[in-house]
Amino acid sequence: MKRFLKIVGIIVGGILLLVVGFAGYVQMKGIPTYDPPQAFELKVEVTPQRVANGQRIATLLCMQCHANDNEKLTGKLIKDVPKEFGVIYSKNITHDPEVGIGNWTDGQLLYFLRTGSRADGTYAPPYMPKYPLTADEDLKDIIAWLRSDSFGLEASKEEAPPAEPSLLTKILCNTVFSPLPFPKGPIERPDTTDLIKYGEYVADRLIGCYGCHSRDFKTNNDLTPALSKGYYGGGNPLLNLEGATIPSTNITFDETGIVKYSETDFVNVVRLGKRLDGTATRYPMVPHYTLTENETRAIYAFLKTVPKIKSEGSIRIAGDE
């Protein structure tokens, strides 16, 4: 028996030594760097129509994270990234050629937005959203906006400190997460009159509602959102600006979700931040005022088709009881 326990102790000790060694290796290695992506030619025409739609989408996707207190897109501390991922600062995305994206080509921008891989092979960890399923034209509109003279994008040398990813983030980036594959063919915008299909596009492929409203960032599936754990059932531990944890809301049509919400109620809470009792939603849920009514109604139609999930502890939008 003693011999058996000794053998077990040696095995357990060896495993612990391997785990500690791997953690130490990853801590020193940091976020992996990959072979630089192959360059491809792309030139986006900067038209008023493209810039307008790009800015509308960027208001939903880019500005909240990259705009500082003066609304300049020079990067800042992201206060609502869960602490388990580290202390995270966003990057300067102004026209500056040194600290911003002024010397990036349109092809490099598109590749990065889709995959998370920069031209030098460095990888943006999971807290930087990727857009592998977004329509080509919508991403081109964002690029047109980034190239425009819109306020906040003018060249600036100001930049936030380097991010300090946690050991967990480094482990995830060395084991689970890596640059996403670049699409093999074109991705078209869906028919806007097919509300369910269009709602799935807007919610999953354009603004990524499932990212917050599923169970956990670590188990989200960027390539097949419906496979994300707790898809739209909420419970993801989000942070408000004071650092308090606020689980995301269940937005399936379960009794612990949004079954009480009419289409108009849903439009009001998503676009205006107005809950059923008339009070405002809590951060990190902010009004998505640049979503059109048709887009919001399409999301509502799509969510009706999502399998219902019963929230643990009946998590709801505060004020909807």
Side-chain angles (χ1 to χ4, degrees):
M1 184 65 178
K2 289 183 179 180
R3 178 178 174 81
F4 173 75
L5 292 176
K6 183 178 180 180
I7 293 173
V8 170
I10 292 173
I11 293 173
V12 171
I15 293 172
L16 288 175
L17 186 61
L18 287 173
V19 170
V20 171
F22 176 72
Y25 166 74
V26 169
Q27 178 69 10
M28 294 185 63
K29 177 184 178 183
I31 307 299
T33 296
Y34 297 85
D35 291 336
Q38 184 175 357
F40 67 95
E41 292 298 321
L42 174 69
K43 183 62 178 175
V44 176
E45 184 180 5
V46 180
T47 65
Q49 293 78 15
R50 280 201 180 279
V51 172
N53 190 51
Q55 182 165 353
R56 184 183 74 85
I57 298 171
T59 300
L60 299 166
L61 303 181
C62 313
M63 294 184 188
Q64 186 172 327
C65 289
H66 288 278
N68 64 18
D69 292 340
N70 296 317
E71 298 185 4
K72 302 294 183 66
L73 292 155
T74 56
K76 66 177 181 180
L77 173 66
I78 310 300
K79 296 181 180 179
D80 54 343
V81 170
K83 292 181 174 60
E84 61 183 324
F85 294 113
V87 180
I88 308 304
Y89 295 87
S90 58
K91 297 285 190 179
N92 181 323
I93 58 170
T94 72
H95 296 163
D96 187 85
E98 296 176 356
V99 300
I101 58 172
N103 65 350
W104 289 44
T105 68
D106 291 352
Q108 289 169 345
L109 285 170
L110 181 64
Y111 196 92
F112 175 71
L113 289 171
R114 289 216 180 277
T115 69
S117 182
R118 302 181 181 91
D120 61 0
T122 56
Y123 169 62
Y127 41 73
M128 166 64 197
K130 285 79 175 175
Y131 305 97
L133 307 175
T134 305
D136 297 331
E137 293 305 312
D138 283 329
L139 288 182
K140 288 178 182 179
D141 288 351
I142 293 174
I143 293 171
W145 167 73
L146 287 169
R147 298 300 194 203
S148 75
D149 58 1
S150 297
F151 179 80
L153 289 168
E154 56 270 20
S156 172
K157 297 288 184 191
E158 181 182 349
E159 60 178 333
E164 300 173 15
S166 67
L167 176 60
L168 173 62
T169 296
K170 294 174 183 178
I171 290 174
L172 289 173
C173 289
N174 278 275
T175 56
V176 179
F177 295 106
S178 61
L180 298 176
F182 193 80
K184 294 182 179 180
I187 300 179
E188 305 290 340
R189 287 174 177 145
D191 180 358
T192 59
T193 64
D194 183 339
L195 288 186
I196 293 175
K197 186 174 181 179
Y198 187 51
E200 183 269 342
Y201 171 75
V202 176
D204 280 4
R205 301 165 184 260
L206 182 62
I207 62 176
C209 305
Y210 76 93
C212 288
H213 286 282
S214 296
R215 186 61 184 172
D216 195 302
F217 288 119
K218 297 188 292 295
T219 53
N220 283 341
N221 191 316
D222 291 330
L223 296 177
T224 311
L227 296 181
S228 300
K229 186 176 180 180
Y231 184 59
Y232 285 110
N236 197 349
L238 308 178
L239 297 180
N240 64 16
L241 295 179
E242 288 71 48
T245 300
I246 298 179
S248 62
T249 300
N250 179 348
I251 56 173
T252 68
F253 274 77
D254 182 72
E255 61 181 6
T256 60
I258 59 169
V259 70
K260 292 182 180 179
Y261 276 68
S262 69
E263 185 184 71
T264 299
D265 294 330
F266 185 78
V267 170
N268 286 338
V269 74
V270 172
R271 296 189 70 236
L272 307 178
K274 181 181 177 182
R275 297 181 294 202
L276 288 182
D277 65 357
T279 59
T281 54
R282 303 169 299 177
Y283 188 91
M285 178 61 187
V286 297
H288 291 58
Y289 60 88
T290 61
L291 277 178
T292 67
E293 281 212 22
N294 186 59
E295 287 171 333
T296 314
R297 294 181 191 281
I299 295 173
Y300 183 82
F302 160 64
L303 289 175
K304 280 189 169 183
T305 71
V306 172
K308 299 176 184 179
I309 293 179
K310 186 171 293 295
S311 297
E312 297 178 13
S314 297
I315 299 167
R316 298 174 182 268
I317 301 174
D320 70 354
E321 293 82 3

